[in-house]
Amino acid sequence: MLHFTKISTQGKDFNLIASGALAFKIHNKILKDEAFVHGSSVSRNMLVGSVPARKAATTDKKSVFFVIISDLDKVNTESLCQMIAQERAKGSYAVCQVIPMYYNEPSFKALKMLRQNFDEVLELSKFNLGGSKVLNGLEQQHCIISEYVISMARIMFHVCANSAIPAKTAEERIEEPAFA
């Protein structure tokens, strides 16, 4: 099952999609973050086969999609990739962060499919602390991964929301003082 959330601010849409138990927990943490609450409207859906997402995304408007996947399910991955491919054809930008739970053939096939349909696919697996010590506790690893994903979501959201601000003209850039 996919959890789809559209966060709208300043006339821009930021789409957050989660698939899997850990991804859903991170999805909820992101939505509780202050960065996503101020001046934004949030609409949430649970999707089976991403049908409501396609209906909501039928406009030619470019959007940003941030997808978190913790359980690679072939059915969800295929329907998600179809939706993302349609959105990318309209000029949308899509990033996927995968937190692999198991390394098996279906996971590798799903990852290959994701890499073919998303602009960026980041696979988060074993994180190191400090120089070389690998974390032993799976929960500590998930904690670090979730903080990383939340930070990435904040960055993408702020870039998406602030891209509505008009760029400075050449005259405005020349007037700014240059620091040596």
Side-chain angles (χ1 to χ4, degrees):
M1 180 157 319
L2 297 172
H3 301 275
F4 182 86
T5 301
K6 183 180 286 193
I7 304 169
S8 300
T9 183
Q10 298 181 11
K12 297 279 185 174
D13 291 336
F14 177 74
N15 299 285
L16 183 64
I17 301 172
S19 175
L22 177 61
F24 181 65
K25 288 178 186 177
I26 295 170
H27 176 266
N28 284 335
K29 279 186 181 180
I30 289 171
L31 293 178
K32 292 177 185 173
D33 194 294
E34 269 186 45
F36 300 93
V37 176
H38 281 309
S40 301
S41 65
V42 177
S43 61
R44 296 177 75 163
N45 290 312
M46 285 183 18
L47 310 176
V48 178
S50 71
V51 175
R54 287 192 195 127
K55 289 179 185 175
T58 54
T59 64
D60 290 332
K61 186 174 170 181
K62 295 179 184 178
S63 296
V64 174
F65 290 85
F66 183 62
V67 179
I68 310 161
I69 299 176
S70 60
D71 301 333
L72 290 171
D73 181 339
K74 188 178 178 188
V75 174
N76 282 345
T77 304
E78 285 177 1
S79 61
L80 175 65
C81 286
Q82 289 173 358
M83 183 190 77
I84 294 299
Q86 291 171 0
E87 291 299 320
R88 285 185 64 210
K90 297 179 202 173
S92 295
Y93 188 74
V95 173
C96 179
Q97 287 193 339
V98 180
I99 305 167
M101 295 300 191
Y102 305 106
Y103 288 99
N104 53 25
E105 191 167 336
S107 295
F108 292 131
K109 286 181 179 179
L111 273 170
K112 182 179 178 184
M113 190 183 317
L114 291 170
R115 286 188 185 109
Q116 292 171 349
N117 290 286
F118 279 80
D119 293 298
E120 296 288 333
V121 176
L122 307 168
E123 185 181 345
L124 305 177
S125 56
K126 294 181 181 174
F127 274 66
N128 293 338
L129 277 183
S132 62
K133 179 138 178 140
V134 176
L135 293 174
N136 291 330
L138 194 58
E139 298 208 350
Q140 290 176 344
Q141 183 178 346
H142 288 329
C143 178
I144 289 174
I145 288 172
S146 67
E147 292 304 317
Y148 178 82
V149 175
I150 291 169
S151 297
M152 183 69 174
R154 271 191 220 116
I155 292 167
M156 287 186 63
F157 175 70
H158 287 301
V159 168
C160 172
N162 291 336
S163 65
I165 298 170
K168 291 184 178 183
T169 62
E171 293 82 25
E172 290 173 326
R173 280 182 263 156
I174 293 170
E175 292 174 11
E176 290 179 359
F179 297 103

